[in-house]
Amino acid sequence: MNALPSSLFSPLVQGYWRMAHWNMTPQQRLTFIKQHVELGVTSVDHAPVYQSEALFGEALALEPSLRAQLQVISKCGIIPGQGEQVAHYDSGQAEIITSVERSLTNLQVEKLDVLLIHRPDLLMQVDEMAEAFAQLKAAGKVEHFGVSNFSVAEFNLLQSRLDVPLVTNQIEINPINMQATEDGTLAQMQQLKVRPMAWSCLAGGQLFNGESAQAKRVQHTLQQVADEIGASCIDEVAYAWVMKLPANPVPIIGSGKIARVQTALNALELTMTREQWYRIWAATKGHGVA
């Protein structure tokens, strides 16, 4: 397999899963895109199920030359339920190709830099998926492929059928949810020198308004560490905590406010000790290391 590019993603990724709720005009969307690009956040994360691709494409069409500065990431495989049809996964060859074609149209781009399989499909036929990837690559419609929310075994299974490396596994990582640090996912990413993308770095707001005993412990400890390392808020500490993991995760920012993007970027300048990192870990667990 070929080696991965050293700088496939920007240091942080701008997520667009909430864009439909930002109530922005096309010009305001374009301005936001340009602002985070100017800050060095050039990778953008989409998925058809977010219902934001057409909104992004509408803004990008106002200044098409901006596309050259972006790394456009999208996903496929989640089929929303309609009527009596339940939501389900579909990683079949036809669905992958159809989904990419639709994303390209909505985003108003000619190629995706990265395509991710959004969720592991219990019915996935990996040989069929590999054929879809090869077809999209040959047609110049997708440059790189990856996955999202895949287990170690699922990642290995798909990779076993590919001649090119999967470039990422987009997974939840935050100071509340430790699963990726315990189930081998991050160890696998480090072994393969594949940078995971980290979603929900702020634990869906639990770091600010969670009422459980665990959330309260973590909130207190994040503020304590923030005071010690000169962080302006606990957001910065949470991002720094994620980025200290040796698999070198790339955090995804979910806010449509440029000030929040800058806050996330501030975390790149913070220095956190091992003791401080484990203090946050201990707050989550409710106990220290054995």
Side-chain angles (χ1 to χ4, degrees):
M1 291 185 291
N2 299 323
L4 291 178
S6 59
S7 57
L8 185 59
F9 307 115
S10 54
L12 289 89
V13 172
Q14 178 60 47
Y16 278 94
W17 65 85
R18 296 193 185 104
M19 193 180 206
H21 304 287
W22 293 350
N23 297 318
M24 291 181 177
T25 66
Q27 183 59 54
Q28 288 172 326
R29 286 177 237 141
L30 175 63
T31 297
F32 177 72
I33 296 168
K34 293 173 69 174
Q35 286 175 328
H36 71 67
V37 167
E38 289 171 2
L39 290 173
V41 180
T42 56
S43 299
V44 293
D45 181 66
H46 292 277
V49 74
Y50 301 158
Q51 299 183 330
S52 63
E53 291 182 326
L55 297 174
F56 185 91
E58 185 181 26
L60 188 60
L62 298 176
E63 195 169 322
S65 62
L66 189 59
R67 169 64 179 98
Q69 301 181 57
L70 299 171
Q71 301 84 48
V72 179
I73 304 155
S74 195
K75 309 180 187 72
C76 65
I78 297 181
I79 313 300
Q82 293 183 348
E84 295 183 358
Q85 182 187 60
V86 300
H88 58 283
Y89 302 141
D90 187 344
S91 60
Q93 182 176 353
E95 177 56 33
I96 291 174
I97 292 171
T98 298
S99 182
V100 168
E101 296 281 6
R102 190 183 307 119
S103 290
L104 294 176
T105 298
N106 287 335
L107 290 164
Q108 300 198 41
V109 298
E110 296 182 353
K111 178 176 71 174
L112 297 177
D113 294 287
V114 183
L115 174 69
L116 308 180
I117 302 298
H118 203 156
R119 291 276 178 177
D121 175 8
L122 294 174
L123 301 178
M124 65 185 184
Q125 298 281 353
V126 288
D127 292 305
E128 188 176 335
M129 295 165 72
E131 179 58 34
F133 287 2
Q135 185 174 332
L136 290 166
K137 176 76 170 178
K141 295 179 179 179
V142 179
E143 186 65 28
H144 300 285
F145 300 92
V147 295
S148 181
N149 305 297
F150 270 46
S151 69
V152 171
E154 290 158 346
F155 189 100
N156 286 339
L157 173 61
L158 179 55
Q159 185 63 81
S160 73
R161 300 302 202 275
L162 302 176
D163 295 327
V164 295
L166 294 166
V167 300
T168 194
N169 189 359
Q170 188 178 116
I171 52 180
E172 182 177 1
I173 312 174
N174 59 62
I176 294 286
N177 186 340
M178 298 286 185
Q179 180 177 341
T181 68
E182 300 169 345
D183 64 9
T185 302
L186 290 177
Q188 178 193 43
M189 295 293 96
Q190 188 178 1
Q191 178 186 11
L192 298 176
K193 297 183 178 180
V194 171
R195 294 189 71 182
M197 296 170 65
W199 62 269
S200 195
C201 294
L202 304 181
Q206 291 186 68
L207 300 187
F208 313 108
N209 52 34
E211 293 295 331
S212 68
Q214 179 195 49
K216 292 294 186 183
R217 289 195 307 267
V218 173
Q219 291 161 14
H220 172 77
T221 305
L222 287 172
Q223 186 59 60
Q224 185 181 61
V225 173
D227 295 339
E228 293 171 3
I229 66 178
S232 64
C233 57
I234 63 175
D235 309 35
E236 295 178 9
V237 180
Y239 285 117
W241 186 91
V242 169
M243 289 188 285
K244 193 170 179 64
L245 287 159
N248 201 16
V250 185
I252 303 173
I253 311 164
S255 177
K257 297 180 179 179
I258 200 64
R260 297 295 297 276
V261 177
Q262 183 61 67
T263 293
L265 285 166
N266 292 343
L268 294 167
E269 307 302 321
L270 297 176
T271 300
M272 180 181 295
T273 67
R274 285 173 176 259
E275 187 277 335
Q276 289 165 333
W277 192 95
Y278 272 105
R279 203 188 314 160
I280 295 168
W281 179 92
T284 297
K285 291 294 186 178
H287 60 76
V289 298

